[in-house]
Amino acid sequence: MKGTHLGEFEEIVMLVIAGMQEDAYGLAIKKELEEQTQRQVTISAVHTACNRLEEKGFLKATFGEKSKRRGGKRKKIYAVSLLGQQALYKAYELRQRLWGRIPDSNIQIDFN
Amino acid sequence: MIQASEKYYDPPERTMRFIRWFCADSFLEEIEGDLYEYFQEEVADLGINRARRRFFFKAIRYAKPYFFDRRILSFHHYYHPDMLKHYFKISMRHLFRQRFYSLINIGGFAIGLACFLLILLYINHELSYDHHYIDGDQIYRVIHEGEGEGGAVVTTPLAETLLREYPEVIEAARVAPDLDEAGSNLIRVEGQAKNIYQDGFLYVDPSFLGLFKFPMIQGERNALQRPYTIILTASKAELLFPGENPLGRNIIFNDNLNQPFEVTGVMEDLPNNTHFQFDYLLSMEGVENAQVPNWGFGNFMTYVKLSPNTIVPELEQKMVRIIKEYKDPDYEEKVKAGDHYWFGLQAVKDIHLKSAHIYGYWTHGNIRYVWLFGIIAFFILLIASINFMNLSTARSANRAKEVGLRKVLGSYKKQLASQFLLESILVSFIAFIIAILLAWTLLPGFNNLTDRSLSIPWQNISLYPMVLGAIILIGFLSGLYPSLFLSSFRPIQSLQGAFQKGKKGTGLRSALVVIQFTISIILIIGSLVVKKQVNYIQNKQLGFDKEQILIIEDSYILNQQSDAFKEQVKNLKDIETVSMTSYVPVKGYERNGSGAWPTGTNPEETGVGLAKWYVDHDYVSTLGLKITEGRDFSIAKSTDREAVILNKKAVELLELEDPIGKQITSYTYLDSKTGKLLDATYTIIGVVEDFHFESFKQNIEGLSLVLGNWWASSTLVKMNTNNPQNLLADIEDVWAQFAPNQPFRYHFLDERYAKMYAFEQRIGQIFTAFTGLAIIIACLGLFALATFMAEQKRKEISIRKVLGASIGHLTFMLTKNFARLVVLALILAVPLAWWLMQKWLQDFAYRIHLGWSVFALAGISALAIAVLTVAYQAIRASIANPVDNLRGGN
């Protein structure tokens, strides 16, 4: 798989992670996603996406402390890497450009 | 939010275990942690039961290829080519360093494998008989079956009757190995002078070739339509007509110039996996005896070809009608009276192996031997593998350090296990190569033993992948236990020198050794007994002299000159007597029997079956038979033409007291025109002592000797010379005078006699071979055990030595244990062997007595072998320097 191609879900996950103040770990990311996007997200989907992104190098992971609430396991906390930011920005750029090409006469909704 | 004294609930354990097993380690912590936390929240929100239910569905979504722990398959982690090279190198190094043990291990395994391969060849061959005919599934042999026994020969008209009456029978052919010129003859090509002796002549119906669709080299399959035609097999065609075209040429039989046989075809030689044994086919067309519609005689083997969808049992049922209609109108009553018989259909594929209970011509194999050999092969392989496993693990102390180090350096247990597995597959490979070479070398001997001509199918392409597969499979299975055992060593302990795995190993191994030795002892006993019995047979007094008697064959060719010939031979120096007859008391010569009864009585009541042999005046003296009452035949008395000499048993059977002078009547022959059995009356002039004229397996039966040596096929010459070769040459000269164009064929009576027990001799040889094998294997097992124990007891022995024990004492102590095992094996083996040998000896009406000397000999030799095997290890262990063993880190 070529590096910088981001799927829609992956892009959204990265954006959410970038915007989170508290520890961005699996469960928290899931909750934030559901809150922001208003749609159901399974924890396994989050894990899959995050680990894939980590393998591609777009996310960096560090481990937090153990807690009893997690059965003694540490949290895996994600952050967007430099490479990830670049990828996000590329996607953002692409969208901007495409939007810019649309003639005003085709746009019917009201930007506010 | 900090919650005081929070209670944590454990998510369902089984689901969690699945996750832990399935998922790769790198994901596990995150997944477990998040799921656990999630679970707590759900418990709080929905209660524990609903939370548990929902948990499963959440967790199951992790069963995706992405999360799968590929180390389970992990090809590319440790089956990396570099690692494989490394394992290979280490394995070879290990084998070389432990040359002695490696050799024993591989060698033993190879021997076991070689035997397995040979037996496999045999079984494969046996099972392949008669599988190659076109439409072979539709070909059957008609047999005569009764309660228990059966016969392969059936009545004359059966074939054509079946063909006529049943549409399912689409072809039929009869085969007569016994008619007229069937069997052996003196033949020559027309125009040549000298006769040669040939056998393998078979009379067949013209439809025979077409039924079996034998491949013809020359001529068509209808080549036997006319009478007095003959078909040659390819090698015989080459023999008689080298380089020429045999078609249309004539062959003279037994100097009969009036009726030659014309060659009308040449067929391919028979493959060696067919039950047929013939070299020449003679047409049965026009043979008188074959056309007589006599349902009383059974003389022909009948083969039929059925239409494709025939249901055999149904047809067999229908055939009962034939019996009732043609053969035996009283059939129904006979069945009720218990004399039940019927005609059965035997598939041609089954003939070779499943005819043990069917009395017929040609020797067959026996499915029992196939089973027996199959089981033996399996056990040999099993025991060889077990020995291999044993010995591989016996010296484990050596590898323990290696294992410990590897683990410290980061090997997974699975990696180590596969290393050892690879090693054992490698060893298996080497052993296989050796085994194949060994099998190839032993093949001639094996062929000798089994009376077959097997060969390794080098050119069969499918052989090689099969062998490779077998190597990997056997190597894998045999290596499974050792590899798991070796890879389970705890690194700390093994590097420190402590060695666990104590008592558990010994029990199983000891049991194995006992079993192996029991088998060996049984086989040793078996060998000794068989040898003894065969010797006994060879040397037993027969009641006639078998020494120094020459048998000149094919004497019938002398015709009118028989008497003159006899006289000339008698006049030679060192010849005592000469007799001409067809009946010789060893296997392979003419036999004849008929019912006999005291004259004037009712044969139905007083008739007994007696062997009836036609001999001449010199028979009794030539064979050295002892006359106990009355006298021998005398030329002077012309009334002796109607005289008979009985043996003691015959007199007993006929219940005659004072038999001399009394008369008996017995059947002579069947009049082919009237179909009636004729008989003749004889006066008893003498009684001879019973002598063995059949094999030792049978009791002596009643025998009657009468004069009549027309067409006598054998001349018995009693010699008394130290120089048989010269005498033989002289006799041959006389023969050449009388029969210049006939081959001089002869045998010695004692040789023929010995051949009768060729089968038993072969059994003896087979036994010896297996005994040798079993002993080798058992010794290997014992050796492995001894090695193991020596390892275990290293420290103990060293301590004892330090405390003052002598080498002798230590050796004795070590050997004592094993001696006990052998004694146990002995106790198990002896009763079993005794029982088995009794059963085998029962077959013989005349046998040796099973004395305890045989068992004692077996026991002592077993013990001696065991001690020798163990001695090496015991002495080595006792000699070892205690310092080496007791040093801390070793």
Side-chain angles (χ1 to χ4, degrees), chain B residues 496-790:
Chain B
Q496 274 180 351
F499 188 51
Q500 83 288 48
K501 279 300 188 177
K503 306 300 170 183
K504 235 187 347 170
T506 335
L508 188 61
R509 289 175 217 262
S510 304
L512 231 61
V513 166
V514 170
I515 293 179
Q516 288 169 337
F517 260 87
T518 308
I519 296 178
S520 299
I521 294 176
I522 293 181
L523 285 175
I524 295 179
I525 294 177
S527 294
L528 290 172
V529 169
V530 169
K531 279 239 152 73
K532 251 183 124 175
Q533 172 69 2
V534 173
N535 272 342
Y536 171 72
I537 290 176
Q538 305 277 43
N539 298 324
K540 187 178 188 294
Q541 291 294 37
L542 298 166
F544 65 90
D545 287 333
K546 61 175 165 67
E547 317 300 325
Q548 296 246 11
I549 294 188
L550 179 72
I551 310 175
I552 305 178
E553 313 284 4
D554 309 318
S555 309
Y556 60 86
I557 205 77
L558 291 170
N559 230 327
Q560 315 292 16
Q561 306 172 77
S562 319
D563 290 331
F565 175 71
K566 194 170 151 184
E567 280 308 310
Q568 277 244 321
V569 175
K570 233 202 258 188
N571 286 336
L572 288 176
K573 191 171 72 94
D574 285 342
I575 302 284
E576 291 194 2
T577 57
V578 179
S579 168
M580 296 188 75
T581 176
S582 300
Y583 298 85
V584 185
V586 287
K587 188 163 156 200
Y589 292 91
E590 188 87 26
R591 289 290 176 267
N592 186 39
S594 74
W597 60 93
T599 310
T601 60
N602 181 3
E604 303 270 326
E605 288 164 28
T606 57
V608 299
L610 291 182
K612 186 170 181 182
W613 291 10
Y614 294 91
V615 301
D616 65 9
H617 299 91
D618 298 298
Y619 190 76
V620 172
S621 50
T622 307
L623 283 178
L625 303 174
K626 297 189 184 18
I627 302 228
T628 55
E629 289 180 48
R631 61 178 178 80
D632 191 359
F633 294 113
S634 161
I635 302 193
K637 303 220 155 76
S638 61
T639 51
D640 276 357
R641 271 186 316 161
E642 279 142 32
V644 65
I645 298 182
L646 300 175
N647 70 348
K648 260 191 158 170
K649 184 75 188 209
V651 173
E652 240 180 74
L653 289 174
L654 288 166
E655 292 172 1
L656 295 171
E657 304 192 358
D658 257 354
I660 309 296
K662 301 232 170 68
Q663 293 199 318
I664 60 167
T665 310
S666 68
Y667 293 115
T668 49
Y669 59 90
L670 177 75
D671 187 334
S672 56
K673 300 195 181 54
T674 62
K676 277 195 64 187
L677 265 181
L678 305 175
D679 57 47
T681 301
Y682 305 89
T683 311
I684 305 175
I685 59 162
V687 179
V688 289
E689 191 70 63
D690 285 337
F691 64 96
H692 287 277
F693 55 91
E694 297 294 356
S695 102
F696 271 106
K697 290 190 175 171
Q698 297 162 291
N699 286 313
I700 297 183
E701 298 179 358
L703 172 68
S704 56
L705 301 171
V706 295
L707 287 178
N709 63 339
W710 50 90
W711 299 110
S713 54
S714 309
T715 305
L716 298 170
V717 180
K718 173 81 185 168
M719 313 190 292
N720 192 350
T721 172
N722 294 325
N723 197 341
Q725 292 306 343
N726 279 352
L727 198 46
L728 209 54
D730 290 337
I731 298 177
E732 186 168 358
D733 286 336
V734 178
W735 173 270
Q737 279 178 36
F738 282 84
N741 293 318
Q742 318 302 349
F744 180 60
R745 220 166 51 96
Y746 64 90
H747 297 99
F748 283 95
L749 185 56
D750 42 14
E751 279 172 11
R752 293 292 265 185
Y753 181 71
K755 268 185 82 172
M756 265 167 76
Y757 299 99
F759 182 69
E760 273 71 24
Q761 275 198 328
R762 198 175 298 131
I763 298 271
Q765 287 171 330
I766 293 181
F767 254 96
T768 314
F770 275 127
T771 305
L773 191 69
I775 291 181
I776 293 178
I777 293 182
C779 284
L780 277 175
L782 187 57
F783 188 72
L785 181 60
T787 315
F788 185 71
M789 297 212 69

Side-chain angles (χ1 to χ4, degrees), chain B residues 786-807:
Chain B
T787 315
F788 185 71
M789 297 212 69
E791 279 265 305
Q792 296 283 54
K793 294 196 185 261
R794 254 186 328 174
K795 292 222 169 113
E796 177 191 337
I797 294 174
S798 304
I799 295 177
R800 283 181 189 265
K801 243 192 141 173
V802 165
L803 290 178
S806 70
I807 295 184

Side-chain angles (χ1 to χ4, degrees), chain B residues 376-484:
Chain B
I376 291 181
F378 175 70
F379 273 116
I380 289 181
L381 192 63
L382 193 64
I383 293 185
S385 303
I386 292 180
N387 273 345
F388 177 72
M389 279 193 252
N390 252 344
L391 204 50
S392 298
T393 51
R395 298 270 314 171
S396 20
N398 286 25
R399 305 303 298 268
K401 279 218 257 180
E402 176 190 345
V403 171
L405 199 58
R406 281 184 188 269
K407 283 199 174 179
V408 164
L409 289 175
S411 283
Y412 295 106
K413 183 171 172 193
K414 291 180 204 151
Q415 248 177 318
L416 282 169
S418 49
Q419 173 194 356
F420 292 122
L421 267 177
L422 240 53
E423 199 171 300
S424 103
I425 292 182
L426 179 70
V427 170
S428 161
F429 187 77
I430 298 177
F432 242 94
I433 304 286
I434 299 180
I436 292 183
L437 285 173
L438 207 59
W440 183 69
T441 325
L442 292 175
L443 201 54
F446 187 68
N447 278 336
N448 214 344
L449 217 54
T450 54
D451 196 26
R452 299 268 183 274
S453 45
L454 305 167
S455 59
I456 302 185
W458 299 112
Q459 62 271 43
N460 191 353
I461 298 295
S462 65
L463 181 70
Y464 297 99
M466 272 207 297
V467 168
L468 200 62
I471 291 178
I472 295 181
L473 185 68
I474 293 181
F476 183 83
L477 289 175
S478 306
L480 209 54
Y481 171 67
S483 64
L484 289 176

Side-chain angles (χ1 to χ4, degrees), chain B residues 112-122 377 432 435-436 439 446 467:
Chain B
L113 281 176
C115 291
F116 180 71
L117 288 174
L118 285 175
I119 294 182
L120 219 58
L121 271 179
Y122 174 79
F432 242 94
I436 292 183
F446 187 68
V467 168

Side-chain angles (χ1 to χ4, degrees), chain B residues 112-416:
Chain B
L113 281 176
C115 291
F116 180 71
L117 288 174
L118 285 175
I119 294 182
L120 219 58
L121 271 179
Y122 174 79
I123 293 180
N124 189 39
H125 176 80
E126 290 291 289
L127 290 176
S128 72
Y129 271 66
D130 295 313
H131 270 71
H132 54 267
Y133 303 117
I134 303 176
D135 298 330
D137 291 334
Q138 298 165 243
I139 303 182
Y140 290 80
R141 180 171 73 166
V142 185
I143 53 177
H144 172 272
E145 287 196 281
E147 301 294 336
E149 275 208 346
V153 280
V154 293
T155 49
T156 316
L158 185 59
E160 50 143 5
T161 313
L162 285 176
L163 200 54
R164 200 177 45 207
E165 307 252 343
Y166 296 110
E168 302 97 312
V169 178
I170 52 182
E171 285 177 54
R174 292 171 305 173
V175 159
D178 216 12
L179 212 54
D180 293 355
E181 269 90 23
S184 62
N185 290 290
L186 292 170
I187 61 169
R188 63 171 184 271
V189 173
E190 192 174 48
Q192 287 182 1
K194 287 200 140 295
N195 274 347
I196 55 170
Y197 170 81
Q198 286 284 289
D199 63 23
F201 292 90
L202 192 64
Y203 269 101
V204 296
D205 273 336
S207 46
F208 182 70
L209 292 171
L211 199 155
F212 283 95
K213 295 206 172 50
F214 286 111
M216 303 290 293
I217 298 181
Q218 288 187 293
E220 298 299 318
R221 291 210 185 100
N222 62 356
L224 292 173
Q225 294 285 12
R226 293 177 288 124
Y228 293 104
T229 45
I230 179 174
I231 298 219
L232 313 173
T233 50
S235 42
K236 293 303 179 184
E238 195 52 37
L239 176 71
L240 296 174
F241 302 95
E244 304 166 356
N245 181 3
L247 284 190
R249 305 284 296 271
N250 279 342
I251 299 183
I252 311 283
F253 275 62
N254 304 320
D255 286 340
N256 184 352
L257 291 163
N258 295 328
Q259 202 44 74
F261 281 78
E262 182 189 339
V263 178
T264 49
V266 179
M267 60 181 280
E268 276 185 18
D269 283 341
L270 289 174
N272 63 359
N273 57 352
T274 165
H275 77 285
F276 286 119
Q277 292 166 14
F278 59 80
D279 293 311
Y280 302 90
L281 292 177
L282 308 169
S283 172
M284 203 137 60
E285 199 60 30
V287 173
E288 229 184 85
N289 278 337
Q291 319 305 350
V292 172
N294 187 330
W295 284 89
F297 266 150
N299 259 325
F300 300 89
M301 291 200 272
T302 302
Y303 295 88
V304 293
K305 186 165 175 181
L306 306 177
S307 53
N309 293 321
T310 314
I311 303 180
V312 173
E314 280 182 14
L315 183 57
E316 285 178 340
Q317 281 287 45
K318 290 196 215 168
M319 292 192 333
V320 175
R321 184 182 65 79
I322 292 194
I323 304 181
K324 286 198 270 202
E325 216 174 285
Y326 293 97
K327 179 166 162 59
D328 201 345
D330 302 321
Y331 179 67
E332 295 266 356
E333 279 103 61
K334 284 210 182 143
V335 172
K336 289 206 194 91
D339 179 17
H340 191 197
Y341 68 93
W342 62 94
F343 290 125
L345 292 170
Q346 185 187 33
V348 73
K349 284 186 214 154
D350 291 338
I351 294 181
H352 176 69
L353 289 174
K354 302 203 180 141
S355 305
H357 64 289
I358 295 175
Y359 174 75
Y361 296 97
W362 301 326
T363 47
H364 297 304
N366 195 334
I367 188 99
R368 266 210 230 130
Y369 287 138
V370 174
W371 273 110
L372 188 66
F373 273 104
I375 293 180
I376 291 181
F378 175 70
F379 273 116
I380 289 181
L381 192 63
L382 193 64
I383 293 185
S385 303
I386 292 180
N387 273 345
F388 177 72
M389 279 193 252
N390 252 344
L391 204 50
S392 298
T393 51
R395 298 270 314 171
S396 20
N398 286 25
R399 305 303 298 268
K401 279 218 257 180
E402 176 190 345
V403 171
L405 199 58
R406 281 184 188 269
K407 283 199 174 179
V408 164
L409 289 175
S411 283
Y412 295 106
K413 183 171 172 193
K414 291 180 204 151
Q415 248 177 318
L416 282 169

